[in-house]
Amino acid sequence: MLKFVKGHLETIDGVAIYPVISLLIFFIFFVALFWWVFTCKKDYLKKVSNIPLEIEKDQPYEK
């Protein structure tokens, strides 16, 4: 199966750039994510982490 796909991909000009582009997108996304995590304000993280635990006074408690 891989030989079938590889054979067709070898006939496409410039196909070698796609793995490079994929790696760059992957790398840039995770670098940006790490940057956001390390520069995020602690107050915001506390507020967001407590959202599932907060119960509105207007909403009845459901079991």
Side-chain angles (χ1 to χ4, degrees):
M1 177 82 175
L2 186 60
K3 289 180 183 179
F4 177 72
V5 174
K6 186 178 177 183
H8 286 289
L9 288 177
E10 288 176 348
T11 61
I12 301 172
D13 292 334
V15 77
I17 194 70
Y18 291 114
V20 174
I21 292 171
S22 300
L23 181 64
L24 283 174
I25 290 171
F26 177 81
F27 184 74
I28 290 169
F29 172 77
F30 280 103
V31 166
L33 185 67
F34 284 135
W35 175 78
W36 180 80
V37 167
F38 289 121
T39 60
C40 189
K41 294 182 180 182
K42 302 297 179 191
D43 294 335
Y44 174 75
L45 291 178
K46 280 186 177 181
K47 181 181 176 182
V48 172
S49 66
N50 288 328
I51 287 175
L53 302 176
E54 293 177 358
I55 298 175
E56 297 284 332
K57 291 182 179 181
D58 298 338
Q59 294 179 346
Y61 177 73
E62 296 180 13
K63 290 186 180 181

